[in-house]
Amino acid sequence: MSNLNEWKELQKNIQKQKAVLFGRRKDNRFFELPVQYNPASLSLSNTAGEDEKETMFQSTEELSLNSRSTLSFDLIFEALEETADKDYVRIQAERILALTLDTDLSSVTFLYGEMTFFGEMVQADIKYTMFDEEGNPLWAIVSVKMVEKEDDEEVKSTQTEFLSENSSSQNIFSYQYQSLKKEYENFETPVVVIRINQKDISDNKSGLSVADIEVDLTSGYEASLATFSIYDCFDKRAVSFRTEALKNYISLGSSVSISMGYGEITKIIFRGFIAKINFICEKEEMPYVQVTSLDIKGSMMSGCYAKQMKASCYSDAVREIFEKTVYARMQNQGIFTDLSIACTPDGKKTQGENSESDLTIEMVNESDYEFIVRAAKKFNFEFYVERGKVIFRKAKSVRTILMELRLNESLKSFDIEYDITGLTETVYVRGMDTGKMKLISAKSRHEEKISQGNKARQLLKNSERLYIDPTVRSQQDADYRVQYLLEEMSFRFGTLICDCVGLPELQPGNFVQVSGLGKPAENCFYITEVKHMIDTEGLYISKVTAKAAAIL
């Protein structure tokens, strides 16, 4: 299945969920928390002391919910697939737990088929029963208890209307704006923490100050980078830089971590190393030092190798590269923290088949970085770094939407563009099987919705784009390549460029939902770039660039 189809599945995934939790806030705003699997059973009791009833969901129509009933059930979340987001289970389980602590929450509704239970969540217990090698939970059981709440008829009518209109909505968000606003104390006091070799630069006793902080994150193949400037580092009397005070913070190759947030709460947004320093003096200004840091990909671009890999599939070859001593040393320094490498399709083939898994994998006059990028493009994978974690996975395979962006809340300004220039109806890829001297080809059609009517689709009718690719040497190569090229072309259609309230949670490689603007402006976009910065007024701003392949 192509990633474009998976993107469409993300838009429809609540329709596949039978059991859903809806929340209503005190300002009558609603949100939705679909469960991953339907509970196998539920328990129902009431305050009048009647015997507890327990039944399988197949017979829920027999349940009678009294005015003071208590409903108990278990929810299961899992991430056992190789390509699953390792934070998925923890995030989903903690979202349910957060409902018991949310003081702005007015009521919660459990919806399953024809059954609706209005109430409040009084208890949620999380039990993790399986973990991966890195300690990330892979399986969680969340035990939930709800007590029915006596709402007035007007409130129930409003909520019922919302449920009927939104039972198939797409609002599956990992983070809620109101919860983040509360956590960060109304976003009032922006804070940045920069650590060089694990030392907080603000703790220096030499009077050095830091400003002009910008962190450019990307889910593309290029490296993410961070820049900041160190001031009060020049001795006017000696007419020279205060080298002794600076030396601990400008040494090339030193590890760098940057955290941002508000008040006492900060979260890491970048890990890397110092790659460049500039000593600058502008006209009629005091000299200062500008520091540029890159994530680990910056260090992987040097070197050039020609060798045969031990691995028999590309995902194992990527792991093999990171087994080098130099990368173990960087991990110990904190330049990166861990790896999340999904299996490539060639690793899933049965041994002994006449397939790519039988072929040798070679590095051909290329750096570690160039080899991994080549592997990523071959299978339509992403290769980027998030908060120090190296991610190599199927492109846009994340299952959840990170958050909702609404104007005058998290969204401050925006430019949403839809452009059909450069789109074609069909993409072809051709190559040559040199062993058999046989022409290889693959094609894929663009079938996404690109307008409210059919005029735009008519303009693309019968248009084609042909790629001659000498690296395509098998039918599998051609199939992977055509999907990559089609997706790359399709996600140029929609572009979101916006300024948001500064949020460390905004990271590339995630979907966001723009809501409340009316169609076709409201849409689901995939974040490709985020710039975290403190502006000239001292405000923390997150500038987001995101892409969409279709309109809703």
Side-chain angles (χ1 to χ4, degrees):
M1 182 184 292
S2 73
N3 294 106
L4 292 176
N5 288 335
E6 291 176 359
W7 187 85
K8 289 188 286 187
E9 289 300 316
L10 179 66
Q11 300 297 309
K12 300 176 181 177
N13 58 4
I14 289 204
Q15 294 177 329
K16 298 180 180 180
Q17 312 273 355
K18 294 182 179 179
V20 184
L21 286 171
F22 286 91
R24 178 173 65 84
R25 301 196 180 280
K26 293 178 180 178
D27 60 0
N28 275 337
R29 286 273 305 280
F30 293 89
F31 61 91
E32 186 174 4
L33 290 167
V35 304
Q36 189 175 10
Y37 297 107
N38 291 327
S41 64
L42 62 84
S43 296
L44 179 70
S45 60
N46 59 43
T47 56
E50 293 184 10
D51 292 338
E52 183 182 86
K53 300 178 182 179
E54 184 169 317
T55 183
M56 300 303 289
F57 261 110
Q58 287 84 339
S59 59
T60 52
E61 65 273 9
E62 299 175 4
L63 296 177
S64 175
L65 301 182
N66 298 317
S67 60
R68 296 300 297 166
S69 298
T70 298
L71 183 67
S72 302
F73 52 89
D74 289 345
L75 301 177
I76 294 176
F77 298 98
E78 58 88 5
L80 299 180
E81 295 183 9
E82 287 283 350
T83 58
D85 185 347
K86 297 304 182 184
D87 293 326
Y88 174 78
V89 170
R90 178 187 57 78
I91 289 174
Q92 299 304 318
E94 290 180 358
R95 287 170 67 198
I96 302 298
L97 179 64
L99 295 180
T100 64
L101 307 173
D102 193 341
T103 57
D104 291 328
L105 192 63
S106 177
S107 62
V108 175
T109 299
F110 178 78
L111 180 68
Y112 177 75
E114 299 300 320
M115 170 187 159
T116 302
F117 188 96
F118 296 94
E120 56 184 340
M121 190 174 294
V122 296
Q123 185 175 339
D125 299 317
I126 301 175
K127 182 179 181 181
Y128 296 117
T129 60
M130 190 181 300
F131 301 85
D132 64 12
E133 295 178 353
E134 300 167 356
N136 299 306
L138 298 179
W139 192 284
I141 301 173
V142 184
S143 300
V144 176
K145 179 180 288 186
M146 292 177 58
V147 175
E148 192 168 21
K149 188 175 183 180
E150 296 181 4
D151 276 331
D152 58 54
E153 291 303 316
E154 182 178 354
V155 170
K156 278 196 174 184
S157 175
T158 302
Q159 190 153 333
T160 302
E161 182 180 353
F162 171 82
L163 294 175
S164 64
E165 292 179 355
N166 294 276
S167 60
S168 62
S169 75
Q170 298 98 10
N171 298 343
I172 321 166
F173 308 126
S174 298
Y175 297 98
Q176 301 289 335
Y177 172 76
Q178 294 298 333
S179 298
L180 292 172
K181 184 178 180 181
K182 182 177 179 181
E183 179 182 3
Y184 292 124
E185 299 176 347
N186 295 322
F187 314 117
E188 289 181 350
T189 312
V191 174
V192 181
V193 178
I194 301 176
R195 291 185 172 88
I196 311 296
N197 292 330
Q198 287 79 49
K199 294 181 180 179
D200 189 341
I201 195 171
S202 65
D203 290 339
N204 78 87
K205 299 179 181 180
S206 303
L208 303 178
S209 60
V210 177
D212 309 329
I213 302 161
E214 293 187 3
V215 180
D216 293 288
L217 306 176
T218 177
S219 60
Y221 296 131
E222 63 273 23
S224 295
L225 64 89
T227 60
F228 59 89
S229 298
I230 302 176
Y231 291 93
D232 302 319
C233 60
F234 191 79
D235 189 331
K236 289 192 291 184
R237 290 185 179 180
V239 197
S240 67
F241 285 95
R242 299 165 57 197
T243 308
E244 195 64 27
L246 282 168
K247 67 178 183 180
N248 290 330
Y249 306 110
I250 62 171
S251 178
L252 292 171
S254 297
S255 65
V256 177
S257 70
I258 300 179
S259 303
M260 300 185 77
Y262 299 87
E264 297 181 355
I265 300 176
T266 61
K267 298 177 182 178
I268 288 181
I269 61 171
F270 174 86
R271 287 185 184 273
F273 65 97
I274 296 178
K276 182 174 67 173
I277 53 174
N278 293 80
F279 296 89
I280 301 172
C281 180
E282 297 173 347
K283 189 175 180 180
E284 298 181 356
E285 298 289 341
M286 287 292 291
Y288 63 95
V289 179
Q290 185 181 71
V291 179
T292 301
S293 303
L294 297 176
D295 66 25
I296 188 177
K297 288 200 287 186
S299 71
M300 301 178 73
M301 297 176 184
S302 59
C304 185
Y305 308 98
K307 64 177 182 179
Q308 179 178 323
M309 307 294 287
K310 297 178 182 178
S312 58
C313 69
Y314 275 89
S315 52
D316 285 347
V318 173
R319 292 187 184 94
E320 183 179 329
I321 283 176
F322 282 101
E323 290 173 357
K324 292 182 179 180
T325 303
V326 62
Y327 297 123
R329 190 182 303 120
M330 289 183 182
Q331 188 171 13
N332 290 335
Q333 288 180 258
I335 293 173
F336 77 102
T337 56
D338 52 3
L339 306 173
S340 178
I341 300 174
C343 287
T344 47
D346 61 324
K348 298 177 181 178
K349 296 181 181 295
T350 304
Q351 292 296 323
E353 291 183 1
N354 183 21
S355 65
E356 288 182 273
S357 59
D358 300 317
L359 304 177
T360 59
I361 296 176
E362 308 246 357
M363 295 185 72
V364 184
N365 295 323
E366 57 192 342
S367 64
D368 292 341
Y369 166 81
E370 290 169 329
F371 174 83
I372 296 178
V373 169
R374 176 164 64 86
K377 289 182 176 180
K378 179 181 178 68
F379 297 107
N380 194 18
F381 268 45
E382 293 172 318
F383 170 45
Y384 68 102
V385 182
E386 180 181 292
R387 307 175 194 264
K389 176 187 285 188
V390 178
I391 295 175
F392 182 79
R393 71 180 185 193
K394 191 174 182 181
K396 301 172 183 65
S397 58
V398 62
R399 296 177 177 179
T400 57
I401 299 176
L402 186 69
M403 65 179 66
E404 181 183 45
L405 302 180
R406 284 182 173 270
L407 191 60
N408 297 326
E409 291 188 348
S410 54
L411 187 63
K412 298 304 180 183
S413 65
F414 61 86
D415 180 357
I416 297 173
E417 175 184 274
Y418 297 112
D419 183 358
I420 63 172
T421 304
L423 298 184
T424 59
E425 184 178 55
T426 307
V427 174
Y428 289 89
V429 169
R430 290 180 183 170
M432 178 67 71
D433 185 336
T434 54
K436 299 179 180 179
M437 294 303 295
K438 178 182 177 183
L439 181 67
I440 301 167
S441 66
K443 70 175 182 178
S444 189
R445 289 172 56 87
H446 183 281
E447 298 178 345
E448 305 303 315
K449 181 180 178 181
I450 56 175
S451 69
Q452 300 291 352
N454 61 0
K455 294 185 181 299
R457 177 60 60 187
Q458 290 175 355
L459 291 176
L460 301 185
K461 191 173 183 180
N462 297 325
S463 60
E464 300 176 354
R465 180 171 293 178
L466 173 64
Y467 293 89
I468 307 296
D469 190 339
T471 67
V472 171
R473 298 180 180 179
S474 69
Q475 189 60 51
Q476 289 87 354
D477 282 348
D479 292 339
Y480 298 142
R481 188 64 175 163
V482 77
Q483 289 302 324
Y484 167 78
L485 292 169
L486 178 65
E487 180 177 300
E488 185 181 48
M489 178 192 73
S490 299
F491 272 87
R492 290 200 298 265
F493 165 66
T495 302
L496 166 69
I497 300 175
C498 63
D499 286 0
C500 300
V501 172
L503 292 171
E505 288 76 12
L506 283 170
Q507 294 280 324
N510 293 283
F511 286 97
V512 290
Q513 175 81 41
V514 175
S515 302
L517 300 178
K519 295 182 178 180
E522 57 185 31
N523 204 348
C524 186
F525 293 88
Y526 188 73
I527 301 176
T528 56
E529 299 174 16
V530 180
K531 175 181 285 189
H532 295 279
M533 60 181 293
I534 303 296
D535 68 9
T536 55
E537 297 179 356
L539 299 177
Y540 176 14
I541 301 294
S542 295
K543 294 179 176 289
V544 174
T545 300
K547 302 291 184 178
I551 61 175
L552 299 180

